[in-house]
Amino acid sequence: MKKLNISIFFFFITILLVSSQGIKSLSEKISGNIENFFSGKNQIKYSIIRFESSSNLSDLELQRFYHMIITPIERSENEQFRDLSTGFNNGKGNFDLNRINEINHFISIKLINNMGKLGAGIIIYNRNVNRIVSVKYYEEPIKKREVELLRIKDPGLSSREYSKLYDIRVSHNLLNVASCNIKGTEYVFFLLNDRIDVYTLTENSILKLKSNEVEWGRPHFPSIQNEGNLFLFEENDDIFLIVGSNFSRYSYIFNLKDNELKRIAKFDFSVADVFIINGVRYIAGFNFSFGKNFYKGKLFLKQFNSVNFNAGETYIKNLPDFYSAAFYKDRGEFRSLYLIDLNYNMRIFSDTINETPGSDSKFGYTHAISEDVIAISSYTENNDRLKMMKIGNDINTPIFNKEIKGKIRLIEKGIVEGKHGFWIIVEKSNKGFKNLKLQFWRKNID
């Protein structure tokens, strides 16, 4: 079946919802009730922690309806509300209850069918006094066409939501990439087998500034396909780059000052991110299964000390072996970890690093997270697909889905022109020769 044309889609949406009946009216009443109850109240954090339905709405329809409820709450710049949703399954919402310690008001929403109308019961519970403080019920007649529109998987935006900003031919030895803005200049760093190349970006070109050798040292682990990690972060106006690989036991920390890279320390694991857990800042990372193209199932958490990187305790958490990993953070606080395991399944771990329900769907072996969006490759034989999924949504329903000519070898988060997005390395084969392209994809709709 052909996809519904975007103009026709919004035409129908306008016709169905302009009178504020049905789905739209019910969602507005629910969100309005919640906003009115908490209006003017200070020192309050609240979340929806239960969203259930005995109606005949599917999980996708429930997810869309849930988003219609919370969107006006979030758009009002409400810093009291926390969205803990992680998806929908069997008529119920899944919520990250490991984060409820910061919440003092819980909201429960129950949907029912009542003589052809959709009813919604809202209960607000005050955790501080252990009692229900508000009960409200609304119902609206729902047109069948409204529900049908809710279940459309691609309302015509998936090919327009993100656009390709750069498409650059690069060395076949490129292992990883990172970017940042330093005093108004866009810098891009390439990790190759034996060096770090430093480039600057202009509107239509990329200019190489210099190269810095990486002496990996011994032992050396031969690999059929070399892979590497390149993590960049800023700390007190300093720029640090940490490089690791699947052919060296150690990763090395470089400080960038006056356009010069100086090696200052080394770790025995590859760094993937920096974040806060329970008020303590950590450097987090993993180790390859050396000489191979996957990671051992261990997470390293090292207490962060920017003066002495080797100081501080290191904690280790066991995980399944995996191809790629990405951390989701909220205001610098660690919230969840997403892995692609060796069966190409997505595994999700909470902020206590305990596994939560994931997905049986197959994905590609590389992914990254920027802000609240996961970019992931596809489980395909021929041309790849670049998919974007919003955290909290059904991970089987991407917000962007684009065919990529070739194989996506790597996805990394990045920032170009102040816009968050993703670097992807695409490998193309032509008569036995492999060519690499570096692309940057960012949001097209601001």
Side-chain angles (χ1 to χ4, degrees), residues 156-338:
L157 288 175
S158 66
S159 63
R160 305 162 191 256
E161 183 72 15
Y162 283 78
S163 61
K164 182 170 57 177
L165 192 62
Y166 286 96
D167 192 356
I168 307 165
R169 186 168 180 174
V170 292
S171 166
H172 67 279
N173 290 323
L174 180 63
L175 304 180
N176 214 308
V177 61
S179 58
C180 67
N181 186 296
I182 304 174
K183 297 179 179 179
T185 301
E186 303 275 354
Y187 286 84
V188 182
F189 302 88
F190 288 179
L191 174 63
L192 292 95
N193 289 328
D194 57 354
R195 66 185 191 272
I196 301 171
D197 286 346
V198 184
Y199 291 82
T200 59
L201 284 174
T202 60
E203 287 185 2
N204 299 306
S205 63
I206 182 168
L207 175 66
K208 184 176 178 179
L209 293 182
K210 61 181 60 184
S211 291
N212 195 93
E213 288 188 3
V214 178
E215 297 179 2
W216 294 104
R218 296 184 179 273
H220 175 80
F221 302 92
S223 173
I224 295 175
Q225 175 68 54
N226 286 349
E227 292 191 30
N229 293 311
L230 175 58
F231 178 68
L232 181 152
F233 70 102
E234 300 181 48
E235 179 74 16
N236 298 327
D237 296 327
D238 278 331
I239 306 293
F240 296 100
L241 286 92
I242 308 179
V243 298
S245 70
N246 66 341
F247 50 85
S248 173
R249 184 180 300 279
Y250 301 107
S251 63
Y252 297 98
I253 304 165
F254 293 85
N255 183 209
L256 177 67
K257 279 192 174 179
D258 300 322
N259 289 331
E260 296 290 337
L261 284 171
K262 180 181 179 183
R263 199 172 95 178
I264 58 174
K266 70 178 182 179
F267 287 156
D268 55 3
F269 62 90
S270 289
V271 174
D273 217 325
V274 174
F275 46 67
I276 297 169
I277 301 178
N278 296 327
V280 180
R281 202 164 180 213
Y282 292 94
I283 289 179
F286 314 95
N287 261 336
F288 282 98
S289 183
F290 294 116
K292 300 180 180 178
N293 297 105
F294 64 88
Y295 291 87
K296 292 179 181 178
K298 292 185 183 297
L299 166 63
F300 294 82
L301 293 171
K302 183 175 182 62
Q303 291 179 338
F304 178 74
N305 186 324
S306 62
V307 177
N308 182 358
F309 277 86
N310 293 318
E313 293 187 66
T314 300
Y315 305 94
I316 300 176
K317 175 74 174 181
N318 288 327
L319 300 167
D321 292 346
F322 61 93
Y323 287 119
S324 65
F327 295 96
Y328 170 52
K329 301 181 294 186
D330 181 13
R331 301 178 180 90
E333 297 266 357
F334 167 63
R335 294 306 185 198
S336 49
L337 166 64
Y338 291 75

Side-chain angles (χ1 to χ4, degrees), residues 287-399:
N287 261 336
F288 282 98
S289 183
F290 294 116
K292 300 180 180 178
N293 297 105
F294 64 88
Y295 291 87
K296 292 179 181 178
K298 292 185 183 297
L299 166 63
F300 294 82
L301 293 171
K302 183 175 182 62
Q303 291 179 338
F304 178 74
N305 186 324
S306 62
V307 177
N308 182 358
F309 277 86
N310 293 318
E313 293 187 66
T314 300
Y315 305 94
I316 300 176
K317 175 74 174 181
N318 288 327
L319 300 167
D321 292 346
F322 61 93
Y323 287 119
S324 65
F327 295 96
Y328 170 52
K329 301 181 294 186
D330 181 13
R331 301 178 180 90
E333 297 266 357
F334 167 63
R335 294 306 185 198
S336 49
L337 166 64
Y338 291 75
L339 303 181
I340 301 299
D341 70 15
L342 300 191
N343 292 317
Y344 299 93
N345 295 129
M346 182 177 285
R347 310 280 287 271
I348 305 173
F349 295 80
S350 68
D351 58 357
T352 57
I353 318 177
N354 292 314
E355 190 162 7
T356 63
S359 170
D360 293 330
S361 299
K362 300 287 188 182
F363 296 94
Y365 61 81
T366 180
H367 73 298
I369 294 176
S370 177
E371 297 184 301
D372 62 349
V373 172
I374 303 174
I376 194 164
S377 59
S378 184
Y379 186 72
T380 54
E381 291 286 342
N382 299 312
N383 285 334
D384 219 321
R385 300 196 73 86
L386 177 61
K387 297 182 179 181
M388 310 285 188
M389 302 175 293
K390 190 174 177 64
I391 289 177
N393 287 11
D394 177 8
I395 62 175
N396 294 311
T397 308
I399 59 174

Side-chain angles (χ1 to χ4, degrees), residues 50-74:
R50 185 175 290 112
F51 195 92
E52 299 179 356
S53 173
S54 62
S55 69
N56 58 1
L57 293 179
S58 69
D59 291 339
L60 177 61
E61 292 157 3
L62 287 174
Q63 176 187 298
R64 298 279 174 82
F65 185 55
Y66 171 82
H67 289 150
M68 290 180 71
I69 293 170
I70 69 168
T71 296
I73 298 174
E74 292 179 321

